Amino acid sequence: MLNSKVVQLLNEQINKEFYSAYLYLDFSNYFYDKELNGFGNWYRIQAQEERDHAMLFLQYLQNNGEKVTLDAIAKPAVELTDSMTVLREGLKHEIYVTGLIHTIYDAAYSVKDFRTMQFLDWFVKEQCEEENNADSLIKKFELYGSDPRSLYMLDSEMAARVYAAPSLVL
Ligand code: FEO
């Protein structure tokens, strides 16, 4: 049996991850509308990854015999004014998610819940990759975004991303 505070935070994280999926789907739609279909593809796959994250939290709770309560998913709260704003909001969001994961970890640590800490280890590492990816997109857009030919090449690079199931299996 898991600690009730840890369960509450894990349950809330399901909703946060689905919100992330919803947010990135919004980003994806923004780029498809701009005919930057590579960026659209990249964020659509990102949305799929977030859905996977949500399902991992859900499965972990169920594997531990805990009840899952689903909440409403909020409307994406970011105003998509231009491409650079979208990319910057992506990084901001990932830093926020890292904080959420650390909060759950802290709660698990405080009650010596080693099982949940081990489960969360994958997410701690994943957040490093998520922040790096978001930061890299910003830097690439700063370098190439204002030149149409370079942007076309960058968009083609983004189009090459393919979906891969998460390496964490429960
Ligand atoms: Fe579920 Fe982008 O972290």
Side-chain angles (χ1 to χ4, degrees), residues 2 6-18 49-71 73 101 104 116 119-120 122-123 166 168-170:
L2 301 177
V6 173
V7 168
Q8 183 207 322
L9 290 171
L10 288 167
N11 201 109
E12 284 171 8
Q13 194 60 28
I14 297 172
N15 187 270
K16 307 278 189 197
E17 298 289 347
F18 275 127
E49 280 200 1
E50 300 300 351
R51 181 207 57 197
D52 289 340
H53 295 170
M55 294 307 291
L56 285 167
F57 280 99
L58 184 149
Q59 189 65 58
Y60 179 74
L61 283 172
Q62 288 184 336
N63 285 358
N64 282 277
E66 299 291 348
K67 186 172 163 11
V68 169
T69 308
L70 297 178
D71 207 344
I73 302 167
I101 300 291
I104 310 171
T116 299
F119 163 69
L120 290 172
W122 185 86
F123 286 93
L168 177 63
V169 179
L170 297 178

mmCIF file of all heavy atoms in Angstrom, residues 2 6-18 49-71 73 101 104 116 119-120 122-123 166 168-170:
data_model
loop_
_atom_site.group_PDB
_atom_site.id
_atom_site.type_symbol
_atom_site.label_atom_id
_atom_site.label_comp_id
_atom_site.label_asym_id
_atom_site.label_seq_id
_atom_site.Cartn_x
_atom_site.Cartn_y
_atom_site.Cartn_z
ATOM 1 N N LEU A 2 0.445 2.234 -0.782
ATOM 2 C CA LEU A 2 1.244 3.457 -0.881
ATOM 3 C C LEU A 2 0.687 4.530 0.060
ATOM 4 O O LEU A 2 -0.484 4.513 0.422
ATOM 5 C CB LEU A 2 1.224 3.983 -2.321
ATOM 6 C CG LEU A 2 1.759 3.056 -3.424
ATOM 7 C CD1 LEU A 2 1.598 3.726 -4.788
ATOM 8 C CD2 LEU A 2 3.211 2.684 -3.175
ATOM 9 N N VAL A 6 1.318 10.484 -1.486
ATOM 10 C CA VAL A 6 2.034 10.060 -2.705
ATOM 11 C C VAL A 6 1.018 9.634 -3.763
ATOM 12 O O VAL A 6 1.137 10.010 -4.948
ATOM 13 C CB VAL A 6 3.022 8.907 -2.382
ATOM 14 C CG1 VAL A 6 3.634 8.341 -3.657
ATOM 15 C CG2 VAL A 6 4.121 9.391 -1.432
ATOM 16 N N VAL A 7 0.007 8.893 -3.353
ATOM 17 C CA VAL A 7 -1.037 8.450 -4.288
ATOM 18 C C VAL A 7 -1.735 9.662 -4.903
ATOM 19 O O VAL A 7 -1.957 9.722 -6.122
ATOM 20 C CB VAL A 7 -2.071 7.533 -3.576
ATOM 21 C CG1 VAL A 7 -3.305 7.309 -4.452
ATOM 22 C CG2 VAL A 7 -1.436 6.210 -3.203
ATOM 23 N N GLN A 8 -2.054 10.641 -4.068
ATOM 24 C CA GLN A 8 -2.733 11.849 -4.576
ATOM 25 C C GLN A 8 -1.886 12.553 -5.643
ATOM 26 O O GLN A 8 -2.383 12.924 -6.707
ATOM 27 C CB GLN A 8 -3.005 12.790 -3.403
ATOM 28 C CG GLN A 8 -3.779 14.047 -3.789
ATOM 29 C CD GLN A 8 -3.489 15.212 -2.845
ATOM 30 O OE1 GLN A 8 -3.337 15.002 -1.633
ATOM 31 N NE2 GLN A 8 -3.391 16.403 -3.389
ATOM 32 N N LEU A 9 -0.598 12.686 -5.358
ATOM 33 C CA LEU A 9 0.285 13.372 -6.315
ATOM 34 C C LEU A 9 0.451 12.564 -7.600
ATOM 35 O O LEU A 9 0.466 13.114 -8.701
ATOM 36 C CB LEU A 9 1.651 13.643 -5.675
ATOM 37 C CG LEU A 9 1.672 14.698 -4.564
ATOM 38 C CD1 LEU A 9 3.028 14.724 -3.858
ATOM 39 C CD2 LEU A 9 1.339 16.089 -5.116
ATOM 40 N N LEU A 10 0.573 11.246 -7.458
ATOM 41 C CA LEU A 10 0.702 10.387 -8.648
ATOM 42 C C LEU A 10 -0.570 10.478 -9.487
ATOM 43 O O LEU A 10 -0.508 10.550 -10.721
ATOM 44 C CB LEU A 10 0.952 8.938 -8.235
ATOM 45 C CG LEU A 10 2.334 8.617 -7.660
ATOM 46 C CD1 LEU A 10 2.327 7.231 -7.012
ATOM 47 C CD2 LEU A 10 3.421 8.682 -8.735
ATOM 48 N N ASN A 11 -1.707 10.499 -8.803
ATOM 49 C CA ASN A 11 -2.984 10.592 -9.505
ATOM 50 C C ASN A 11 -3.103 11.932 -10.241
ATOM 51 O O ASN A 11 -3.536 11.992 -11.397
ATOM 52 C CB ASN A 11 -4.129 10.419 -8.514
ATOM 53 C CG ASN A 11 -5.410 9.996 -9.199
ATOM 54 O OD1 ASN A 11 -5.863 8.862 -9.066
ATOM 55 N ND2 ASN A 11 -5.995 10.895 -9.970
ATOM 56 N N GLU A 12 -2.692 13.000 -9.568
ATOM 57 C CA GLU A 12 -2.738 14.321 -10.209
ATOM 58 C C GLU A 12 -1.805 14.375 -11.423
ATOM 59 O O GLU A 12 -2.077 15.055 -12.402
ATOM 60 C CB GLU A 12 -2.332 15.403 -9.207
ATOM 61 C CG GLU A 12 -3.421 15.732 -8.195
ATOM 62 C CD GLU A 12 -2.971 16.640 -7.057
ATOM 63 O OE1 GLU A 12 -1.837 17.168 -7.108
ATOM 64 O OE2 GLU A 12 -3.750 16.801 -6.114
ATOM 65 N N GLN A 13 -0.706 13.644 -11.336
ATOM 66 C CA GLN A 13 0.264 13.666 -12.435
ATOM 67 C C GLN A 13 -0.316 13.052 -13.715
ATOM 68 O O GLN A 13 0.074 13.446 -14.816
ATOM 69 C CB GLN A 13 1.558 12.941 -12.019
ATOM 70 C CG GLN A 13 2.745 13.203 -12.947
ATOM 71 C CD GLN A 13 3.138 14.677 -13.034
ATOM 72 O OE1 GLN A 13 2.931 15.444 -12.094
ATOM 73 N NE2 GLN A 13 3.707 15.075 -14.167
ATOM 74 N N ILE A 14 -1.247 12.127 -13.561
ATOM 75 C CA ILE A 14 -1.921 11.565 -14.752
ATOM 76 C C ILE A 14 -2.560 12.712 -15.525
ATOM 77 O O ILE A 14 -2.390 12.855 -16.734
ATOM 78 C CB ILE A 14 -3.012 10.537 -14.346
ATOM 79 C CG1 ILE A 14 -2.390 9.345 -13.616
ATOM 80 C CG2 ILE A 14 -3.793 10.073 -15.576
ATOM 81 C CD1 ILE A 14 -3.427 8.397 -13.013
ATOM 82 N N ASN A 15 -3.274 13.548 -14.797
ATOM 83 C CA ASN A 15 -3.951 14.681 -15.422
ATOM 84 C C ASN A 15 -2.957 15.671 -16.037
ATOM 85 O O ASN A 15 -3.150 16.186 -17.134
ATOM 86 C CB ASN A 15 -4.830 15.388 -14.384
ATOM 87 C CG ASN A 15 -5.686 16.469 -15.005
ATOM 88 O OD1 ASN A 15 -5.270 17.612 -15.088
ATOM 89 N ND2 ASN A 15 -6.863 16.108 -15.482
ATOM 90 N N LYS A 16 -1.855 15.913 -15.324
ATOM 91 C CA LYS A 16 -0.842 16.866 -15.817
ATOM 92 C C LYS A 16 -0.217 16.364 -17.119
ATOM 93 O O LYS A 16 0.089 17.143 -18.023
ATOM 94 C CB LYS A 16 0.275 17.081 -14.794
ATOM 95 C CG LYS A 16 -0.207 17.463 -13.416
ATOM 96 C CD LYS A 16 -0.514 18.931 -13.297
ATOM 97 C CE LYS A 16 -0.786 19.302 -11.855
ATOM 98 N NZ LYS A 16 -1.460 20.585 -11.740
ATOM 99 N N GLU A 17 -0.003 15.051 -17.189
ATOM 100 C CA GLU A 17 0.610 14.488 -18.400
ATOM 101 C C GLU A 17 -0.372 14.532 -19.570
ATOM 102 O O GLU A 17 0.020 14.825 -20.698
ATOM 103 C CB GLU A 17 1.092 13.054 -18.151
ATOM 104 C CG GLU A 17 2.167 12.921 -17.070
ATOM 105 C CD GLU A 17 3.531 13.470 -17.465
ATOM 106 O OE1 GLU A 17 3.764 13.747 -18.658
ATOM 107 O OE2 GLU A 17 4.386 13.649 -16.572
ATOM 108 N N PHE A 18 -1.644 14.263 -19.284
ATOM 109 C CA PHE A 18 -2.636 14.384 -20.364
ATOM 110 C C PHE A 18 -2.758 15.849 -20.801
ATOM 111 O O PHE A 18 -2.947 16.136 -21.979
ATOM 112 C CB PHE A 18 -4.004 13.837 -19.932
ATOM 113 C CG PHE A 18 -4.134 12.348 -20.111
ATOM 114 C CD1 PHE A 18 -4.525 11.534 -19.056
ATOM 115 C CD2 PHE A 18 -3.877 11.741 -21.336
ATOM 116 C CE1 PHE A 18 -4.650 10.157 -19.214
ATOM 117 C CE2 PHE A 18 -3.991 10.358 -21.508
ATOM 118 C CZ PHE A 18 -4.382 9.573 -20.443
ATOM 119 N N GLU A 49 3.933 10.956 -26.727
ATOM 120 C CA GLU A 49 4.825 10.604 -25.597
ATOM 121 C C GLU A 49 4.193 11.001 -24.270
ATOM 122 O O GLU A 49 4.301 10.280 -23.283
ATOM 123 C CB GLU A 49 6.189 11.298 -25.740
ATOM 124 C CG GLU A 49 7.115 10.599 -26.702
ATOM 125 C CD GLU A 49 8.577 11.000 -26.463
ATOM 126 O OE1 GLU A 49 8.854 11.804 -25.546
ATOM 127 O OE2 GLU A 49 9.437 10.514 -27.220
ATOM 128 N N GLU A 50 3.558 12.159 -24.250
ATOM 129 C CA GLU A 50 2.935 12.625 -23.006
ATOM 130 C C GLU A 50 1.772 11.722 -22.609
ATOM 131 O O GLU A 50 1.572 11.443 -21.429
ATOM 132 C CB GLU A 50 2.468 14.078 -23.143
ATOM 133 C CG GLU A 50 3.568 15.083 -23.450
ATOM 134 C CD GLU A 50 4.661 15.151 -22.379
ATOM 135 O OE1 GLU A 50 4.504 14.559 -21.305
ATOM 136 O OE2 GLU A 50 5.681 15.802 -22.642
ATOM 137 N N ARG A 51 1.019 11.290 -23.602
ATOM 138 C CA ARG A 51 -0.065 10.337 -23.323
ATOM 139 C C ARG A 51 0.530 9.061 -22.714
ATOM 140 O O ARG A 51 -0.013 8.498 -21.764
ATOM 141 C CB ARG A 51 -0.809 10.022 -24.628
ATOM 142 C CG ARG A 51 -1.966 9.059 -24.482
ATOM 143 C CD ARG A 51 -2.206 8.316 -25.779
ATOM 144 N NE ARG A 51 -0.990 7.612 -26.207
ATOM 145 C CZ ARG A 51 -0.768 7.153 -27.431
ATOM 146 N NH1 ARG A 51 -1.648 7.348 -28.364
ATOM 147 N NH2 ARG A 51 0.350 6.509 -27.720
ATOM 148 N N ASP A 52 1.668 8.608 -23.255
ATOM 149 C CA ASP A 52 2.352 7.429 -22.697
ATOM 150 C C ASP A 52 2.737 7.668 -21.234
ATOM 151 O O ASP A 52 2.603 6.777 -20.402
ATOM 152 C CB ASP A 52 3.630 7.105 -23.493
ATOM 153 C CG ASP A 52 3.330 6.546 -24.873
ATOM 154 O OD1 ASP A 52 2.207 6.053 -25.080
ATOM 155 O OD2 ASP A 52 4.228 6.614 -25.731
ATOM 156 N N HIS A 53 3.242 8.870 -20.957
ATOM 157 C CA HIS A 53 3.627 9.189 -19.570
ATOM 158 C C HIS A 53 2.409 9.063 -18.650
ATOM 159 O O HIS A 53 2.493 8.491 -17.563
ATOM 160 C CB HIS A 53 4.198 10.613 -19.467
ATOM 161 C CG HIS A 53 5.493 10.806 -20.209
ATOM 162 N ND1 HIS A 53 6.063 12.039 -20.406
ATOM 163 C CD2 HIS A 53 6.328 9.914 -20.796
ATOM 164 C CE1 HIS A 53 7.196 11.897 -21.087
ATOM 165 N NE2 HIS A 53 7.374 10.627 -21.340
ATOM 166 N N ALA A 54 1.289 9.636 -19.100
ATOM 167 C CA ALA A 54 0.060 9.563 -18.297
ATOM 168 C C ALA A 54 -0.299 8.105 -18.017
ATOM 169 O O ALA A 54 -0.638 7.733 -16.884
ATOM 170 C CB ALA A 54 -1.089 10.262 -19.032
ATOM 171 N N MET A 55 -0.214 7.273 -19.042
ATOM 172 C CA MET A 55 -0.597 5.862 -18.891
ATOM 173 C C MET A 55 0.358 5.122 -17.966
ATOM 174 O O MET A 55 -0.045 4.182 -17.274
ATOM 175 C CB MET A 55 -0.665 5.184 -20.266
ATOM 176 C CG MET A 55 -1.776 5.710 -21.161
ATOM 177 S SD MET A 55 -3.411 5.679 -20.394
ATOM 178 C CE MET A 55 -3.722 3.916 -20.319
ATOM 179 N N LEU A 56 1.622 5.541 -17.934
ATOM 180 C CA LEU A 56 2.582 4.897 -17.012
ATOM 181 C C LEU A 56 2.212 5.209 -15.565
ATOM 182 O O LEU A 56 2.257 4.334 -14.697
ATOM 183 C CB LEU A 56 4.010 5.363 -17.322
ATOM 184 C CG LEU A 56 4.638 4.751 -18.581
ATOM 185 C CD1 LEU A 56 5.907 5.517 -18.977
ATOM 186 C CD2 LEU A 56 4.954 3.276 -18.391
ATOM 187 N N PHE A 57 1.827 6.450 -15.285
ATOM 188 C CA PHE A 57 1.399 6.800 -13.921
ATOM 189 C C PHE A 57 0.134 6.029 -13.549
ATOM 190 O O PHE A 57 0.004 5.522 -12.435
ATOM 191 C CB PHE A 57 1.173 8.317 -13.791
ATOM 192 C CG PHE A 57 2.457 9.079 -13.609
ATOM 193 C CD1 PHE A 57 3.077 9.711 -14.681
ATOM 194 C CD2 PHE A 57 3.057 9.151 -12.360
ATOM 195 C CE1 PHE A 57 4.282 10.399 -14.513
ATOM 196 C CE2 PHE A 57 4.256 9.836 -12.179
ATOM 197 C CZ PHE A 57 4.871 10.457 -13.263
ATOM 198 N N LEU A 58 -0.787 5.955 -14.505
ATOM 199 C CA LEU A 58 -2.040 5.227 -14.264
ATOM 200 C C LEU A 58 -1.749 3.750 -13.961
ATOM 201 O O LEU A 58 -2.250 3.192 -12.977
ATOM 202 C CB LEU A 58 -2.932 5.383 -15.507
ATOM 203 C CG LEU A 58 -4.336 4.785 -15.449
ATOM 204 C CD1 LEU A 58 -5.285 5.633 -16.327
ATOM 205 C CD2 LEU A 58 -4.381 3.353 -15.939
ATOM 206 N N GLN A 59 -0.898 3.155 -14.794
ATOM 207 C CA GLN A 59 -0.579 1.726 -14.634
ATOM 208 C C GLN A 59 0.142 1.463 -13.311
ATOM 209 O O GLN A 59 -0.109 0.459 -12.644
ATOM 210 C CB GLN A 59 0.292 1.266 -15.816
ATOM 211 C CG GLN A 59 0.508 -0.244 -15.884
ATOM 212 C CD GLN A 59 -0.790 -0.998 -16.135
ATOM 213 O OE1 GLN A 59 -1.454 -0.756 -17.116
ATOM 214 N NE2 GLN A 59 -1.161 -1.873 -15.217
ATOM 215 N N TYR A 60 1.028 2.388 -12.944
ATOM 216 C CA TYR A 60 1.770 2.215 -11.691
ATOM 217 C C TYR A 60 0.803 2.182 -10.502
ATOM 218 O O TYR A 60 0.935 1.345 -9.602
ATOM 219 C CB TYR A 60 2.792 3.342 -11.520
ATOM 220 C CG TYR A 60 3.566 3.232 -10.221
ATOM 221 C CD1 TYR A 60 4.551 2.261 -10.057
ATOM 222 C CD2 TYR A 60 3.285 4.086 -9.144
ATOM 223 C CE1 TYR A 60 5.240 2.141 -8.861
ATOM 224 C CE2 TYR A 60 3.968 3.967 -7.949
ATOM 225 C CZ TYR A 60 4.957 2.993 -7.810
ATOM 226 O OH TYR A 60 5.627 2.866 -6.617
ATOM 227 N N LEU A 61 -0.172 3.109 -10.502
ATOM 228 C CA LEU A 61 -1.157 3.128 -9.412
ATOM 229 C C LEU A 61 -1.961 1.831 -9.402
ATOM 230 O O LEU A 61 -2.175 1.228 -8.344
ATOM 231 C CB LEU A 61 -2.089 4.337 -9.565
ATOM 232 C CG LEU A 61 -1.491 5.684 -9.140
ATOM 233 C CD1 LEU A 61 -2.425 6.830 -9.515
ATOM 234 C CD2 LEU A 61 -1.202 5.714 -7.635
ATOM 235 N N GLN A 62 -2.389 1.395 -10.569
ATOM 236 C CA GLN A 62 -3.187 0.166 -10.627
ATOM 237 C C GLN A 62 -2.360 -1.053 -10.224
ATOM 238 O O GLN A 62 -2.861 -1.960 -9.565
ATOM 239 C CB GLN A 62 -3.794 -0.007 -12.019
ATOM 240 C CG GLN A 62 -4.917 1.003 -12.260
ATOM 241 C CD GLN A 62 -5.640 0.831 -13.577
ATOM 242 O OE1 GLN A 62 -5.078 0.282 -14.522
ATOM 243 N NE2 GLN A 62 -6.861 1.323 -13.650
ATOM 244 N N ASN A 63 -1.093 -1.077 -10.611
ATOM 245 C CA ASN A 63 -0.219 -2.199 -10.222
ATOM 246 C C ASN A 63 -0.075 -2.284 -8.702
ATOM 247 O O ASN A 63 0.227 -3.349 -8.167
ATOM 248 C CB ASN A 63 1.175 -2.045 -10.837
ATOM 249 C CG ASN A 63 1.197 -2.379 -12.319
ATOM 250 O OD1 ASN A 63 0.173 -2.757 -12.881
ATOM 251 N ND2 ASN A 63 2.351 -2.223 -12.959
ATOM 252 N N ASN A 64 -0.281 -1.138 -8.047
ATOM 253 C CA ASN A 64 -0.160 -1.101 -6.585
ATOM 254 C C ASN A 64 -1.524 -1.166 -5.893
ATOM 255 O O ASN A 64 -1.632 -0.859 -4.702
ATOM 256 C CB ASN A 64 0.598 0.164 -6.161
ATOM 257 C CG ASN A 64 2.098 -0.007 -6.372
ATOM 258 O OD1 ASN A 64 2.780 -0.581 -5.532
ATOM 259 N ND2 ASN A 64 2.598 0.453 -7.514
ATOM 260 N N GLY A 65 -2.534 -1.525 -6.665
ATOM 261 C CA GLY A 65 -3.867 -1.712 -6.096
ATOM 262 C C GLY A 65 -4.562 -0.422 -5.706
ATOM 263 O O GLY A 65 -5.489 -0.430 -4.890
ATOM 264 N N GLU A 66 -4.113 0.700 -6.279
ATOM 265 C CA GLU A 66 -4.712 1.992 -5.931
ATOM 266 C C GLU A 66 -5.786 2.384 -6.945
ATOM 267 O O GLU A 66 -5.668 2.072 -8.129
ATOM 268 C CB GLU A 66 -3.631 3.090 -5.888
ATOM 269 C CG GLU A 66 -2.533 2.853 -4.863
ATOM 270 C CD GLU A 66 -3.006 2.988 -3.415
ATOM 271 O OE1 GLU A 66 -4.125 3.494 -3.186
ATOM 272 O OE2 GLU A 66 -2.237 2.569 -2.518
ATOM 273 N N LYS A 67 -6.791 3.090 -6.461
ATOM 274 C CA LYS A 67 -7.876 3.546 -7.326
ATOM 275 C C LYS A 67 -7.417 4.784 -8.108
ATOM 276 O O LYS A 67 -6.789 5.672 -7.541
ATOM 277 C CB LYS A 67 -9.082 3.891 -6.448
ATOM 278 C CG LYS A 67 -10.339 4.250 -7.200
ATOM 279 C CD LYS A 67 -11.488 4.362 -6.203
ATOM 280 C CE LYS A 67 -12.716 5.079 -6.692
ATOM 281 N NZ LYS A 67 -12.876 5.406 -8.055
ATOM 282 N N VAL A 68 -7.757 4.821 -9.382
ATOM 283 C CA VAL A 68 -7.403 5.973 -10.213
ATOM 284 C C VAL A 68 -8.640 6.852 -10.398
ATOM 285 O O VAL A 68 -9.717 6.350 -10.703
ATOM 286 C CB VAL A 68 -6.878 5.496 -11.592
ATOM 287 C CG1 VAL A 68 -6.758 6.659 -12.569
ATOM 288 C CG2 VAL A 68 -5.542 4.776 -11.438
ATOM 289 N N THR A 69 -8.464 8.147 -10.182
ATOM 290 C CA THR A 69 -9.567 9.091 -10.391
ATOM 291 C C THR A 69 -9.169 10.057 -11.499
ATOM 292 O O THR A 69 -8.163 10.765 -11.378
ATOM 293 C CB THR A 69 -9.846 9.897 -9.094
ATOM 294 O OG1 THR A 69 -10.006 8.965 -8.022
ATOM 295 C CG2 THR A 69 -11.100 10.735 -9.225
ATOM 296 N N LEU A 70 -9.951 10.074 -12.563
ATOM 297 C CA LEU A 70 -9.637 10.967 -13.682
ATOM 298 C C LEU A 70 -10.354 12.305 -13.517
ATOM 299 O O LEU A 70 -11.514 12.341 -13.116
ATOM 300 C CB LEU A 70 -10.043 10.319 -15.013
ATOM 301 C CG LEU A 70 -9.304 9.034 -15.377
ATOM 302 C CD1 LEU A 70 -9.838 8.483 -16.707
ATOM 303 C CD2 LEU A 70 -7.798 9.257 -15.477
ATOM 304 N N ASP A 71 -9.624 13.373 -13.822
ATOM 305 C CA ASP A 71 -10.179 14.720 -13.698
ATOM 306 C C ASP A 71 -10.303 15.340 -15.102
ATOM 307 O O ASP A 71 -9.761 14.806 -16.068
ATOM 308 C CB ASP A 71 -9.234 15.567 -12.811
ATOM 309 C CG ASP A 71 -9.977 16.687 -12.097
ATOM 310 O OD1 ASP A 71 -11.124 16.998 -12.499
ATOM 311 O OD2 ASP A 71 -9.403 17.248 -11.142
ATOM 312 N N ILE A 73 -9.527 17.645 -18.235
ATOM 313 C CA ILE A 73 -8.272 18.183 -18.791
ATOM 314 C C ILE A 73 -8.526 19.635 -19.194
ATOM 315 O O ILE A 73 -9.476 19.924 -19.938
ATOM 316 C CB ILE A 73 -7.808 17.362 -20.010
ATOM 317 C CG1 ILE A 73 -7.611 15.900 -19.600
ATOM 318 C CG2 ILE A 73 -6.517 17.936 -20.598
ATOM 319 C CD1 ILE A 73 -7.467 14.950 -20.764
ATOM 320 N N ILE A 101 7.531 16.433 -10.974
ATOM 321 C CA ILE A 101 8.126 15.102 -10.747
ATOM 322 C C ILE A 101 8.972 15.144 -9.461
ATOM 323 O O ILE A 101 8.901 14.226 -8.629
ATOM 324 C CB ILE A 101 9.014 14.676 -11.950
ATOM 325 C CG1 ILE A 101 8.202 14.597 -13.250
ATOM 326 C CG2 ILE A 101 9.748 13.358 -11.654
ATOM 327 C CD1 ILE A 101 7.199 13.488 -13.344
ATOM 328 N N ILE A 104 6.807 14.979 -6.343
ATOM 329 C CA ILE A 104 6.342 13.609 -6.024
ATOM 330 C C ILE A 104 7.498 12.813 -5.413
ATOM 331 O O ILE A 104 7.329 12.080 -4.439
ATOM 332 C CB ILE A 104 5.796 12.865 -7.267
ATOM 333 C CG1 ILE A 104 4.783 13.707 -8.022
ATOM 334 C CG2 ILE A 104 5.153 11.538 -6.849
ATOM 335 C CD1 ILE A 104 4.360 13.122 -9.369
ATOM 336 N N THR A 116 8.253 3.788 -5.179
ATOM 337 C CA THR A 116 7.844 4.930 -6.010
ATOM 338 C C THR A 116 9.066 5.729 -6.464
ATOM 339 O O THR A 116 9.116 6.211 -7.604
ATOM 340 C CB THR A 116 6.847 5.833 -5.242
ATOM 341 O OG1 THR A 116 5.688 5.052 -4.941
ATOM 342 C CG2 THR A 116 6.440 7.046 -6.051
ATOM 343 N N PHE A 119 10.408 3.972 -9.409
ATOM 344 C CA PHE A 119 9.530 4.222 -10.568
ATOM 345 C C PHE A 119 9.807 5.607 -11.152
ATOM 346 O O PHE A 119 9.892 5.784 -12.369
ATOM 347 C CB PHE A 119 8.072 4.092 -10.114
ATOM 348 C CG PHE A 119 7.067 4.691 -11.061
ATOM 349 C CD1 PHE A 119 6.828 4.125 -12.308
ATOM 350 C CD2 PHE A 119 6.348 5.842 -10.714
ATOM 351 C CE1 PHE A 119 5.897 4.684 -13.181
ATOM 352 C CE2 PHE A 119 5.423 6.397 -11.575
ATOM 353 C CZ PHE A 119 5.194 5.819 -12.817
ATOM 354 N N LEU A 120 9.966 6.592 -10.251
ATOM 355 C CA LEU A 120 10.154 7.977 -10.694
ATOM 356 C C LEU A 120 11.531 8.247 -11.282
ATOM 357 O O LEU A 120 11.714 9.234 -12.006
ATOM 358 C CB LEU A 120 9.899 8.947 -9.531
ATOM 359 C CG LEU A 120 8.450 9.073 -9.066
ATOM 360 C CD1 LEU A 120 8.377 9.917 -7.799
ATOM 361 C CD2 LEU A 120 7.564 9.695 -10.152
ATOM 362 N N TRP A 122 13.019 6.956 -13.692
ATOM 363 C CA TRP A 122 12.935 7.034 -15.162
ATOM 364 C C TRP A 122 12.465 8.423 -15.592
ATOM 365 O O TRP A 122 12.977 9.008 -16.547
ATOM 366 C CB TRP A 122 11.972 5.960 -15.687
ATOM 367 C CG TRP A 122 11.915 5.886 -17.181
ATOM 368 C CD1 TRP A 122 12.733 5.175 -18.007
ATOM 369 C CD2 TRP A 122 10.983 6.591 -18.040
ATOM 370 N NE1 TRP A 122 12.368 5.375 -19.319
ATOM 371 C CE2 TRP A 122 11.301 6.232 -19.372
ATOM 372 C CE3 TRP A 122 9.920 7.462 -17.809
ATOM 373 C CZ2 TRP A 122 10.595 6.721 -20.464
ATOM 374 C CZ3 TRP A 122 9.226 7.958 -18.901
ATOM 375 C CH2 TRP A 122 9.553 7.583 -20.212
ATOM 376 N N PHE A 123 11.495 8.975 -14.843
ATOM 377 C CA PHE A 123 10.944 10.291 -15.191
ATOM 378 C C PHE A 123 11.945 11.412 -14.897
ATOM 379 O O PHE A 123 11.984 12.406 -15.620
ATOM 380 C CB PHE A 123 9.624 10.538 -14.452
ATOM 381 C CG PHE A 123 8.483 9.745 -15.020
ATOM 382 C CD1 PHE A 123 8.160 8.501 -14.493
ATOM 383 C CD2 PHE A 123 7.756 10.217 -16.093
ATOM 384 C CE1 PHE A 123 7.122 7.754 -15.025
ATOM 385 C CE2 PHE A 123 6.719 9.478 -16.644
ATOM 386 C CZ PHE A 123 6.397 8.245 -16.100
ATOM 387 N N PRO A 166 7.754 4.263 -24.946
ATOM 388 C CA PRO A 166 8.708 4.556 -23.855
ATOM 389 C C PRO A 166 9.519 3.331 -23.456
ATOM 390 O O PRO A 166 9.030 2.195 -23.572
ATOM 391 C CB PRO A 166 7.795 4.994 -22.704
ATOM 392 C CG PRO A 166 6.435 4.510 -23.045
ATOM 393 C CD PRO A 166 6.359 4.411 -24.527
ATOM 394 N N LEU A 168 10.435 2.604 -20.523
ATOM 395 C CA LEU A 168 9.983 2.091 -19.216
ATOM 396 C C LEU A 168 8.778 1.171 -19.431
ATOM 397 O O LEU A 168 7.777 1.571 -19.998
ATOM 398 C CB LEU A 168 9.589 3.260 -18.307
ATOM 399 C CG LEU A 168 9.036 2.889 -16.929
ATOM 400 C CD1 LEU A 168 10.088 2.157 -16.093
ATOM 401 C CD2 LEU A 168 8.550 4.121 -16.186
ATOM 402 N N VAL A 169 8.927 -0.043 -18.974
ATOM 403 C CA VAL A 169 7.816 -1.010 -19.066
ATOM 404 C C VAL A 169 7.446 -1.427 -17.660
ATOM 405 O O VAL A 169 8.321 -1.790 -16.851
ATOM 406 C CB VAL A 169 8.245 -2.247 -19.899
ATOM 407 C CG1 VAL A 169 7.095 -3.247 -19.967
ATOM 408 C CG2 VAL A 169 8.677 -1.819 -21.308
ATOM 409 N N LEU A 170 6.155 -1.361 -17.329
ATOM 410 C CA LEU A 170 5.720 -1.721 -15.982
ATOM 411 C C LEU A 170 5.115 -3.117 -15.959
ATOM 412 O O LEU A 170 4.521 -3.550 -16.919
ATOM 413 C CB LEU A 170 4.691 -0.710 -15.470
ATOM 414 C CG LEU A 170 5.210 0.722 -15.305
ATOM 415 C CD1 LEU A 170 4.080 1.622 -14.831
ATOM 416 C CD2 LEU A 170 6.346 0.768 -14.299
#
